Amino acid sequence: MTVIAQNLVWGVRRKTIVNDVSLDVAEGETLGLIGPNGSGKSSLLRLLSGLKAPQSGRVEILGQDIAGMSRKVMARQVAFVQQNATTDTIVSVRDVVRLGRTPHRSALAGWTAADEAAVSTALGPVDMADLRAQAWQTLSGGERQRVHIARALAQSPRVMFLDEPTNHLDIHHQIEILRMVRRLDLTSIIALHDLNLAAMFCDRIVVLQAGTVAACGTPAEVLTQTLLRKVFRVEAEVSFGPEPGQPHIRFSGV
């Protein structure tokens, strides 16, 4: 397994936000995290990626307990793409992606041919190579998300965490970004709020409810009428199209 979490607990003051969560993710797998607002998806992502330390429990990535790994070593293995990242600084697309090379360079090291190659390679899968000189402020929301994924790719990670990367994007860009993530040769853990997108692009899904794991399995196993009623408190029809094992959810009254 690439990522293993055991009995993670984390909270703020007296409120427990992530409560005894355990999961594992195989190499090359795309795991989706879904759940109602406030269910703990973003907090769990930050615990799994080492951005937060659990109050109890442990996380292993590539066989190592991340509690004993330095930030620099973690950044060479793990990339995190947050939702709606922005900056007021006047920078180009290339400048943003160059930041992904920081974990691989010492403080006094100059920019190398290997660094430049990594940036160019990262721009390819996100289809932003032709816009490498364009100013960040002129990009659309979908283009900015693709650049942030390119910056993550420039880190040369083996695991990528994405926190609602399609939030506030139109449906075309939502599908475009998730299809691109699926094509990458990486292990990916993605927090999503759109259940049909989770069904389309995730190998397995973990459903969170009030900080605990309510269900875990393939989309077909997890996205049932009973679970949608219990966890999301909605009535829906679940049907299956031409893609084997891929459920489609139609909410009642829609």
Side-chain angles (χ1 to χ4, degrees), residues 41-138:
K41 298 187 297 295
S42 293
S43 295
L44 178 57
L45 272 185
R46 282 160 173 76
L47 292 171
L48 294 172
S49 62
L51 294 179
K52 292 182 183 294
Q55 292 164 347
S56 62
R58 65 198 299 269
V59 178
E60 285 187 9
I61 294 181
L62 300 169
Q64 297 185 60
D65 188 333
I66 66 173
M69 296 171 66
S70 70
R71 283 285 185 189
K72 192 163 190 175
V73 170
M74 273 288 291
R76 290 174 179 171
Q77 304 281 1
V78 173
F80 191 99
V81 179
Q82 63 181 323
Q83 55 177 303
N84 303 323
T86 187
T87 178
D88 294 326
T89 306
I90 299 175
V91 292
S92 68
V93 166
R94 179 176 176 272
D95 291 333
V96 174
V97 179
R98 278 169 59 106
L99 294 173
R101 298 304 299 163
T102 302
H104 298 274
R105 304 172 64 239
S106 64
L108 300 178
W111 189 253
T112 67
D115 292 322
E116 190 62 36
V119 170
S120 297
T121 300
L123 286 166
V126 301
D127 197 26
M128 291 297 291
D130 291 342
L131 299 180
R132 61 190 300 141
Q134 188 160 325
W136 165 261
Q137 286 76 9
T138 66

Side-chain angles (χ1 to χ4, degrees), residues 171-226:
I171 187 62
H172 169 76
H173 284 116
Q174 291 176 20
I175 292 173
E176 185 180 58
I177 284 175
L178 291 176
R179 183 176 288 136
M180 179 199 62
V181 171
R182 282 283 294 181
R183 289 197 299 260
L184 299 173
D185 186 22
L186 293 171
T187 302
S188 303
I189 303 177
I190 312 175
L192 291 166
H193 67 275
D194 188 302
L195 305 185
N196 281 310
L197 289 178
M200 289 172 64
F201 294 104
C202 297
D203 298 306
R204 286 190 303 137
I205 292 173
V206 169
V207 183
L208 294 177
Q209 183 180 28
T212 65
V213 176
C216 178
T218 66
E221 292 169 339
V222 166
L223 297 175
T224 65
Q225 290 177 317
T226 301

